Amino acid sequence: MSSSTSRPAVKKKSSKPAAASVVDPAKELLWARPGFLVRRLHQIHVAMFFEECKSSNTTPVQYAILSALAVMPGLDQTALGQEVGLDRTTTADVVRRLEERGLLERRENEADRRTRHVFLTREGKSAVNAMHADMVRAQERMLSPLTDAQQKTFMKLVSQLVEANNQYSRAALRS
């Protein structure tokens, strides 16, 4: 005998326990620290920069030096370091390496033999121009999880933090 009445569907209980949200105490601790997040974001950006600019064999710091000289040719090494936030020793080392690669040249200052002015070579100008689109792509990739409005806010806030805390850097930026 068949029954014409249908029974309501009964939900079977799963033999698996409900997925509890997994708590990662290290992540909770570290991700509450702005310094940790800034360092991680820098690591991520450097990785993206190298992916996008791999053919140039140039580091982000080297590109910063080349870019600064593209818009401010003839800076002395101290002023150049201040523009990109590098101490004197690091600036001298990076400049030497770029000079060895033929991307820039140092010229003695006739008025003060203790200083040297730095200029891009023709090859240096070409390198900056060739890398520009790759560098922009790396920056866009890093910011892509944010909306346009969030990107503007992020840049404003990061700039504000850098300016307000500049004096604490080993190599303060020139203001």
Side-chain angles (χ1 to χ4, degrees):
M1 195 163 135
S2 76
S3 165
S4 63
T5 50
S6 51
R7 294 182 172 174
V10 177
K11 288 186 179 178
K12 288 186 177 182
K13 288 190 176 182
S14 172
S15 59
K16 296 180 184 178
S21 63
V22 178
V23 176
D24 182 345
K27 183 176 180 180
E28 285 187 9
L29 175 72
L30 295 172
W31 285 54
R33 297 177 180 169
F36 173 80
L37 293 174
V38 168
R39 183 180 61 79
R40 285 293 297 142
L41 187 58
H42 178 258
Q43 290 172 329
I44 291 164
H45 182 261
V46 168
M48 289 177 172
F49 179 92
F50 281 126
E51 284 178 10
E52 295 297 338
C53 302
K54 60 185 163 234
S55 64
S56 70
N57 194 30
T58 301
T59 69
V61 170
Q62 291 171 337
Y63 184 74
I65 294 251
L66 295 171
S67 297
L69 290 172
V71 295
M72 294 176 285
L75 288 174
D76 65 64
Q77 286 184 192
T78 301
L80 178 58
Q82 289 173 336
E83 286 297 328
V84 296
L86 297 175
D87 60 64
R88 288 172 50 126
T89 303
T90 303
T91 302
D93 184 51
V94 174
V95 166
R96 180 187 52 78
R97 290 175 191 216
L98 291 170
E99 187 175 39
E100 288 171 357
R101 289 178 53 194
L103 299 176
L104 53 80
E105 64 183 358
R106 293 181 279 185
R107 299 180 196 156
E108 285 188 14
N109 180 352
E110 296 298 325
D112 181 359
R113 298 232 184 238
R114 295 173 296 169
T115 62
R116 296 174 126 190
H117 293 276
V118 187
F119 297 87
L120 291 178
T121 61
R122 182 177 308 134
E123 293 82 7
K125 290 175 186 174
S126 294
V128 170
N129 291 335
M131 288 182 63
H132 181 77
D134 297 335
M135 178 275 306
V136 168
R137 257 192 321 280
Q139 291 180 351
E140 288 173 347
R141 281 179 59 197
M142 184 185 69
L143 295 173
S144 67
L146 304 176
T147 66
D148 288 344
Q150 289 171 329
Q151 289 178 24
K152 287 177 185 168
T153 300
F154 173 78
M155 292 302 296
K156 180 181 175 184
L157 292 172
V158 170
S159 296
Q160 184 178 344
L161 288 170
V162 168
E163 286 181 25
N165 295 296
N166 188 40
Q167 72 272 17
Y168 298 107
S169 172
R170 287 185 319 133
L173 295 170
R174 187 163 59 174
S175 10

